[in-house]
Amino acid sequence: MLALIQRHGLAILDQPYTEYSLEFKQQAIIRVLVKHEPAYQVAIDLGLKSNGMLANWLRSYRENGYNVVIKQKGRSPHAQTRSRNQTSEARKRALTPAELEADRRERIYKKIDRLSRPADQEPQAAEIARAVTQLRHELKVSVTFILAVINANPNLPHLSRSNYYYNLQKKDKDRGNQQVMAEIKAIYEEHRHRYGYRRITLELRRRGLLVNHKKVQRLMNKLKLFGIVSKRWHKYNSYRGTQGPIKTDLIKRNFSAVYPEHKWYSDVTEFKLNGQKTYLSPIVDGCTQEVIAYSISRSPNLKQIMDMLKQAWRKHPALNGLIFHTDQGWQYQHPKFQAWLKDHGIEQSMSRKGNSLDDGLMEGFFGILKREMFYGFEAQFKSLKELEEGIQKYISYYNQQRIKVKLKGLSPLEYRALVLS
């Protein structure tokens, strides 16, 4: 109390009861678990009248799967439980034994079928065992009955009696991994669910935590943290037949380069939002994977491509010997485009007709871009202007923050600095 008065003055004694928000609790917990500040000091800094209040938040955070839970107002949980139990008992008395058994089977089916998991994976045995224990107490039936119902249904994951008791008695081996789990969740949220276990492993190592990628994968499964799943995306096709000289494919699917400004790649992709369209044309470096320059236009015209080239040249004026690779889009066959490349000492390369894999580096970049900031997030953009601002922010994030396994766990700009050092 003396420390509180010294920190906040005597007014702290007259402070009325305060309801703390979810964000307030999250920040307090992060300071203790992630930044490793003493809980006593955090409680004083935040003006908490009791150090036990923060301890309760930390305990609740761990017990609820590393989530902050705000207690709901209204009737107490005991009153709600009594009401539900009374309703359930009255309903049971009204059912015949056969109807009661059918009702119990239906509730078991629903409970097990709703276990959260990725679409292509079975729930873990420990998760099923916890659900079986909950059903025992809710339905007042034996473990044998529940397991028999589960194992008789081919659409449900099966669990043997011995495996149930093994998981029931097995100690939680992750009790000592609370710090790592908190860091994993912080990284996952910081990058807006874009990181899977591989990049989270690399980010943990950047932060000084040497953790095996298999452990990270297991902890993420336990925390129900899953990266964004790939989706098929629509590719804009700018091919209009042969309209100019077609250049040889100098890349032959060997997209990487030893040093920057040796191989550049470009293409145009289309975004559709509320019946309207906008087009992105970027240049990606084959060595650093960074977006060198880009332009956004409401129509896929030659000016967009020329603006992109001039922007790239202003940043990197020494381009003699550079190979510039594209598909056979009409823009890249245009005499003005080809003349600009020749005047700047750039050698042009083109994919073969109908071979999208020849331009695979750009295909991959567009897939990442749309998966991580557009598909599934369309509702966040009210207009094309907001979408274009979102694209610009993502490209900045992609260059400066988004680490890549192929770049030794560095972002594109960090890798450029490493290569040029």
Side-chain angles (χ1 to χ4, degrees):
M1 187 61 68
L2 290 174
L4 275 174
I5 294 173
Q6 291 174 353
R7 177 72 172 80
H8 299 280
L10 289 172
I12 192 70
L13 300 178
D14 298 326
Q15 182 179 353
Y17 172 77
T18 304
E19 288 190 11
Y20 298 100
S21 67
L22 184 143
E23 291 77 14
F24 184 90
K25 293 183 178 181
Q26 282 180 332
Q27 291 302 318
I29 291 169
I30 287 172
R31 288 181 63 177
V32 176
L33 295 183
V34 178
K35 298 182 179 179
H36 311 297
E37 298 182 34
Y40 172 76
Q41 187 60 48
V42 173
I44 292 175
D45 288 345
L46 297 178
L48 303 180
K49 291 185 179 180
S50 170
N51 187 35
M53 187 181 297
L54 180 54
N56 289 337
W57 294 352
L58 292 167
R59 185 181 67 254
S60 175
Y61 180 71
R62 295 187 180 101
E63 290 175 351
N64 288 284
Y66 300 91
N67 289 291
V68 177
V69 176
I70 301 296
K71 186 176 179 182
Q72 298 294 323
K73 295 182 179 180
R75 299 178 63 189
S76 68
H78 296 294
Q80 293 177 1
T81 303
R82 277 199 306 272
S83 176
R84 283 197 299 268
N85 290 341
Q86 291 170 359
T87 304
S88 177
E89 291 298 328
R91 191 165 60 88
K92 287 178 182 177
R93 284 195 295 270
L95 298 176
T96 65
E99 291 173 335
L100 182 59
E101 181 175 332
D103 179 69
R104 287 170 174 167
R105 288 178 181 275
E106 184 65 26
R107 292 178 66 182
I108 293 171
Y109 291 154
K110 288 181 178 179
K111 181 82 170 181
I112 301 301
D113 189 56
R114 282 200 301 262
L115 292 180
S116 57
R117 61 186 184 273
D120 58 341
Q121 293 183 17
E122 293 285 337
Q124 297 181 354
E127 188 177 8
I128 303 173
R130 287 194 294 271
V132 170
T133 301
Q134 293 174 3
L135 288 166
R136 276 183 68 186
H137 298 300
E138 291 174 6
L139 303 180
K140 303 294 190 293
V141 294
S142 66
V143 173
T144 303
F145 175 79
I146 297 173
L147 293 178
V149 172
I150 294 173
N151 295 332
N153 190 325
N155 297 321
L156 296 179
H158 294 180
L159 183 71
S160 67
R161 184 182 177 89
S162 60
N163 201 2
Y164 166 74
Y165 283 108
Y166 168 76
N167 281 280
L168 201 64
Q169 298 171 7
K170 185 173 64 174
K171 293 182 179 179
D172 185 0
K173 62 181 178 181
D174 292 324
R175 289 180 180 176
N177 291 325
Q178 282 85 356
Q179 179 188 353
V180 176
M181 294 168 80
E183 286 283 0
I184 287 173
K185 190 164 186 179
I187 294 169
Y188 183 77
E189 295 298 337
E190 179 182 336
H191 292 273
R192 299 177 65 182
H193 308 181
R194 292 166 177 157
Y195 276 15
Y197 74 91
R198 292 181 181 87
R199 280 188 287 163
I200 285 185
T201 302
L202 293 173
E203 184 62 32
L204 287 171
R205 291 175 182 174
R206 285 160 62 97
R207 300 185 182 191
L209 292 173
L210 300 180
V211 187
N212 184 273
H213 68 280
K214 294 181 180 179
K215 174 185 270 194
V216 174
Q217 185 180 28
R218 176 173 57 79
L219 293 177
M220 288 185 68
N221 287 334
K222 185 171 185 176
L223 292 170
K224 307 294 187 301
L225 305 180
F226 306 105
I228 298 174
V229 180
S230 299
K231 294 181 180 179
R232 293 189 64 183
W233 56 279
H234 171 71
K235 183 183 184 301
Y236 165 72
N237 185 5
S238 60
Y239 180 73
R240 296 181 184 173
T242 302
Q243 300 182 7
I246 301 299
K247 304 296 182 178
T248 306
D249 182 3
L250 303 176
I251 299 297
K252 301 188 185 303
R253 302 186 185 177
N254 181 19
F255 302 112
S256 61
V258 177
Y259 54 89
E261 283 78 66
H262 177 52
K263 297 178 182 178
W264 279 2
Y265 303 87
S266 187
D267 200 353
V268 178
T269 191
E270 176 185 86
F271 291 82
K272 293 182 180 179
L273 182 71
N274 301 328
Q276 297 178 301
K277 298 178 182 179
T278 190
Y279 299 85
L280 169 69
S281 176
I283 296 175
V284 175
D285 188 279
C287 172
T288 65
Q289 308 285 302
E290 69 180 296
V291 179
I292 298 294
Y294 66 92
S295 60
I296 300 174
S297 173
R298 299 292 172 90
S299 63
N301 49 46
L302 184 63
K303 182 180 182 302
Q304 177 185 26
I305 306 302
M306 301 309 296
D307 288 346
M308 174 192 69
L309 284 177
K310 293 171 184 176
Q311 181 189 144
W313 181 67
R314 284 194 296 269
K315 292 173 63 178
H316 305 280
L319 300 178
N320 286 326
L322 170 72
I323 298 175
F324 196 98
H325 184 80
T326 65
D327 60 14
Q328 294 187 20
W330 67 269
Q331 302 98 321
Y332 313 119
Q333 298 183 44
H334 198 282
K336 186 176 180 180
F337 174 83
Q338 295 185 343
W340 193 96
L341 295 185
K342 185 177 180 180
D343 292 344
H344 290 79
I346 300 172
E347 195 167 4
Q348 187 177 12
S349 169
M350 281 187 172
S351 304
R352 294 168 297 170
K353 178 184 175 182
N355 284 270
S356 59
L357 293 179
D358 288 354
D359 202 22
L361 188 140
M362 290 306 301
E363 299 271 353
F365 170 73
F366 288 148
I368 291 170
L369 169 73
K370 293 193 174 184
R371 180 175 71 244
E372 294 191 353
M373 63 78 53
F374 185 61
Y375 290 139
F377 304 100
E378 292 93 335
Q380 297 180 6
F381 307 110
K382 302 296 188 296
S383 64
L384 282 184
K385 182 179 179 181
E386 289 188 9
L387 172 59
E388 290 163 356
E389 291 173 353
I391 294 171
Q392 293 170 0
K393 289 179 182 177
Y394 179 83
I395 291 178
S396 176
Y397 160 79
Y398 179 89
N399 280 342
Q400 299 178 32
Q401 295 178 263
R402 187 184 186 275
I403 62 176
K404 297 175 73 75
V405 176
K406 291 182 180 179
L407 301 182
K408 301 180 179 180
L410 302 174
S411 69
L413 290 182
E414 288 173 339
Y415 190 71
R416 170 179 280 271
L418 175 67
V419 171
L420 297 179
S421 62

